[in-house]
Amino acid sequence: MKKHNFNAGPSVLPRIAIENSAKAILDLNGTGLSLLEISHRSKDFQAILDEATALFNELLNIPAGYKILFLGGGASLQFDMVPYNLLNKKAAYLETGVWAQKAIKEAKFFGDVNVVASSADKNFTYIPKGYIIPSDVDYFHITTNNTIYGSEIRYDMDSPVPLVADMSSDILSRPVDVSKYVLIYGGAQKNLGPAGVTFIIIKEDILGKVERKIPTLLNYATHLKEPSLYNTPPVFAIFTCLETLRWIKSLGGVKAVEEMNIRKAKLLYDAIDNSRIFTGTVAPDSRSLMNICFVMKEQYKDKEEAFMEAAKKKGMIGIKGHRSVGGFRASTYNALPYESVQALVDCMNEFEKENA
Ligand SMILES: *Cc1c(COP(=O)(O)O)cnc(C)c1O
């Protein structure tokens, strides 16, 4: 039976990226060597790195003065590297979920943290509005997509101080005005590639402003000198990212991908909004296009288990909500086909007919 992969991360990837990665593991471009056994300093890998960098630049229209890095450590290591390199005295953070809270926790090791607004009061079901970004901080940090709760900041805000964004779960899902940010980072395993690689888009002139000494590997300057090659990068994971980037380009770029994402999300949100038994958990103006969270209405709560079973039988994978939210979460990343969302909606409608 066909599986519909709604996993939150690691998650669905373009089929072509998986097939080409499998081929490259057996034989990279007719070299007679596996992708897994080439040197990261070889010409073959340099070509992979160069093309991935060029495509990233092209697809996000990244202005001059920025560099792209592919490093290890996950987005979680960036929770430390960002303040290590950028927080001199004080930074501001927007608290929109557990990942934001983890970023805040790490920043506190390096200086004062001003949490300018939080949606913790309503279990992160909305994006705070009307807050003022202070001008006496070294940077302002946001999490653009809250993977667990299904809320998203889908615009590029003006900030009086350098803006830093964790875009782990919505990178390349829409065009981004990179010039509004000094640093964008994320783990690849939500919307770009397999686990094991972290992308960082960094404006070069933001470095060198903190007084502390920074250990070599945690210093962005080290990685800028020899982009992604100071030590051995995750070669395989970078290759699959390249394949995903090629796929996005073949579809017509991030604008085309965004239109697909809007169509998919609309299909599912409409089904939720028109349902007698399901209801959304996130404020309509804060809803994510990437992670769609919903629960059963109070009087049907005891049917959640039964729906999970029914959905499983139809090939739905990974729709159980995060334990801190409950209910259901369908992750509708770039590579999730429209047909999978349609299959889920059909399943919901059928269940409703039989149970309400
Ligand atoms: C998954 C996720 C992380 C954590 O990523 P790791 O690569 O596992 O460290 C951080 N931020 C967001 C928004 C995420 O979705």
Side-chain angles (χ1 to χ4, degrees):
M1 182 183 40
K2 179 162 173 46
K3 300 286 187 194
H4 301 286
N5 184 357
F6 293 96
N7 278 332
S11 37
V12 62
L13 288 170
R15 190 66 210 169
I16 182 95
I18 291 172
E19 281 169 8
N20 287 345
S21 298
K23 279 185 204 149
I25 283 183
L26 297 175
D27 182 357
L28 178 67
N29 303 330
T31 54
L33 290 178
S34 165
L35 171 62
L36 304 182
E37 54 186 6
I38 60 164
S39 166
H40 61 295
R41 310 237 173 243
S42 65
K43 254 202 270 139
D44 289 302
F45 182 66
Q46 189 64 54
I48 291 164
L49 193 56
D50 288 347
E51 189 184 343
T53 304
L55 276 174
F56 227 118
N57 270 312
E58 179 187 334
L59 290 169
L60 284 182
N61 201 11
I62 298 176
Y66 288 77
K67 277 232 162 72
I68 295 164
L69 303 173
F70 297 99
L71 305 179
S76 300
L77 184 60
Q78 296 309 304
F79 297 165
D80 285 306
M81 278 180 76
V82 165
Y84 222 141
N85 286 262
L86 304 183
L87 200 168
N88 207 22
K89 294 252 150 37
K90 194 167 25 158
Y93 277 69
L94 188 63
E95 189 183 35
T96 51
V98 159
W99 295 118
Q101 284 179 324
K102 289 190 170 168
I104 290 165
K105 175 176 174 231
E106 297 308 303
K108 286 180 176 167
F109 285 112
F110 299 92
D112 293 336
V113 175
N114 177 351
V115 177
V116 296
S118 172
S119 47
D121 59 338
K122 290 186 179 160
N123 199 29
F124 302 117
T125 50
Y126 68 101
I127 300 288
K129 273 189 292 217
Y131 55 84
I132 293 175
I133 305 169
S135 52
D136 66 338
V137 294
D138 299 314
Y139 62 86
F140 178 45
H141 179 284
I142 59 172
T143 312
T144 50
N145 186 65
N146 299 287
T147 322
I148 291 173
Y149 308 91
S151 68
E152 187 176 13
I153 301 170
R154 279 186 53 224
Y155 59 93
D156 305 306
M157 63 180 72
D158 291 310
S159 168
V161 294
L163 184 61
V164 175
D166 174 356
M167 291 198 189
S168 291
S169 50
D170 62 352
I171 189 74
L172 295 157
S173 67
R174 64 172 178 93
V176 167
D177 181 354
V178 174
S179 72
K180 294 257 172 91
Y181 304 82
V182 297
L183 199 149
I184 295 170
Y185 67 86
Q189 70 274 16
K190 311 282 166 51
N191 215 10
L192 180 60
V197 64
T198 314
F199 61 86
I200 295 146
I201 304 168
I202 181 170
K203 191 158 185 259
E204 289 176 274
D205 67 9
I206 53 154
L207 297 180
K209 291 176 188 156
V210 292
E211 287 152 21
R212 70 177 66 85
K213 290 200 171 120
I214 306 171
T216 310
L217 205 61
L218 301 178
N219 194 334
Y220 289 122
T222 304
H223 302 287
L224 288 178
K225 250 182 246 151
E226 260 182 294
S228 309
L229 287 170
Y230 173 76
N231 66 332
T232 318
V235 168
F236 169 72
I238 292 171
F239 180 86
T240 308
C241 290
L242 167 60
E243 285 294 326
T244 303
L245 292 163
R246 285 176 172 166
W247 173 79
I248 293 174
K249 181 167 169 147
S250 76
L251 294 173
V254 283
K255 187 77 203 145
V257 166
E258 181 186 39
E259 278 159 24
M260 289 163 52
N261 289 334
I262 289 171
R263 254 186 94 226
K264 285 185 289 183
K266 184 174 179 339
L267 179 63
L268 185 48
Y269 280 125
D270 281 352
I272 294 166
D273 291 341
N274 295 326
S275 169
R276 273 174 291 136
I277 60 172
F278 295 102
T279 182
T281 54
V282 173
D285 67 353
S286 303
R287 285 172 161 182
S288 169
L289 293 192
M290 298 282 102
N291 311 97
I292 299 179
C293 295
F294 54 104
V295 294
M296 276 183 174
K297 290 182 180 169
E298 216 43 59
Q299 66 270 37
Y300 296 104
K301 273 273 179 241
D302 59 333
K303 302 237 186 253
E304 287 193 342
E305 206 57 46
F307 176 69
M308 200 67 83
E309 278 310 308
K312 232 182 241 162
K313 283 198 189 110
K314 296 258 157 74
M316 307 297 145
I317 306 288
I319 60 162
K320 194 170 171 53
H322 190 271
R323 61 190 178 279
S324 57
V325 180
F328 313 99
R329 169 178 53 177
S331 295
T332 50
Y333 295 121
N334 288 348
L336 183 85
Y338 186 86
E339 300 79 74
S340 290
V341 184
Q342 186 65 62
L344 176 59
V345 166
D346 290 346
C347 188
M348 289 162 71
N349 288 339
E350 196 174 304
F351 188 84
E352 181 164 330
K353 234 181 251 155
E354 286 165 9
N355 290 277

